[in-house]
Amino acid sequence: MRDKNAATLSRKSYEEELLRLQTELARLQEWVRTEGARLVIVFEGRDAAGKGGAIRRLTEHLNPRVARIAALPKPTERERSQWYFQRYVEHLPAAGEIVLFDRSWYNRAGVERVMGFCTAEEHERFLRQCPIFEQLLVEDGILLRKYWFSVSDAVQLERFRRRLEDPLRRWKLSPIDLESITHWEAYSRAKDDMMVHTDISEAPWFIVESDDKRRARLNMIAHLLSSVPYRDVPEPVLELPERPRSTGYERPPRDLRTYVPDHSAQL
């Protein structure tokens, strides 16, 4: 748990350490790609807990062909008739890939249970099957990491207020998000119940204290790096070739093409 008396993390220190960690993430990515590893990272937590920000910083400098984000919408009628985990299996990584689940199969343990989107029987079945499902993933060689971003009620409420007032972030709020304010204790009980059943040795939960977003991002990324046995992979030697001499090519006149207007000239 973070020391309440710890010094404030300066922006400079934060940005320097973030850059160092992102450089290590690039090395991790190359190891995953070269070794054919499969890495799954699950991001869970309350609304406005900072999951999205952590995902953006983690993937900022990674190759989207190697590291991709799975943020599934609500299930279709067809998907609702499937085995619950089936729609998530489709997004699991192949060799040399990293998949980050921005919310995951744990929707059933949280929002679906609290908001009544699943039955009590479906919820109980999930709690029984989830540990088995994850054990099968790990047994098959998938590296599975699960992070729960923990935010206090006061900080969550303040973040909701800022989103309401910011037109660039208002899209992050939904009626379901706002209802979480009045269901705080119900979500707490659901999370506790989920942890009891799914915090297993093969795939344990790691709690990220996220009232301070900067610290949460650094702590989560540093932990991820420390938990994966990656190593440096030799980089291929690349050299810029010399541009060959011109063979007489001439660019067509500009008036034959339609160019984007120079909006910046008006600034």
Side-chain angles (χ1 to χ4, degrees), residues 194-231:
M194 175 195 79
M195 291 286 180
V196 167
H197 289 83
T198 64
D199 187 19
I200 58 177
S201 59
E202 296 89 344
W205 277 105
F206 298 103
I207 311 301
V208 182
E209 292 190 285
S210 60
D211 276 3
D212 185 324
K213 287 185 177 182
R214 292 180 185 174
R215 291 182 184 274
R217 294 163 188 165
L218 298 182
N219 293 340
M220 180 265 149
I221 297 173
H223 179 272
L224 173 67
L225 290 166
S226 72
S227 74
V228 178
Y230 72 99
R231 57 177 175 78

Side-chain angles (χ1 to χ4, degrees), residues 5 15 77 127-128 144 148 167 172 213 264:
N5 298 317
E15 291 179 347
E77 285 302 312
L127 293 180
R128 289 197 307 271
L144 176 59
W148 177 271
K172 292 184 175 182
K213 287 185 177 182
S264 63

Side-chain angles (χ1 to χ4, degrees), residues 28 33 37 39 48 51 58 69 71 75 91 97 110 126-127 142 144 177 179 198 208 218 224 247 254 258:
L28 168 65
R33 185 183 63 81
L39 175 59
K51 301 180 296 297
L58 196 155
I69 301 169
H91 296 271
E97 294 180 348
F126 169 83
L127 293 180
I142 287 178
L144 176 59
D177 295 335
E179 282 197 53
T198 64
V208 182
L218 298 182
L224 173 67
T247 58
R254 290 177 61 88
T258 302

Side-chain angles (χ1 to χ4, degrees), residues 82-88 104-105 107-108 112 126:
Q82 297 173 342
W83 176 49
Y84 177 71
F85 294 94
Q86 187 170 337
R87 68 194 296 250
Y88 296 100
S104 65
W105 45 89
N107 276 340
R108 176 138 296 178
E112 289 193 16
F126 169 83

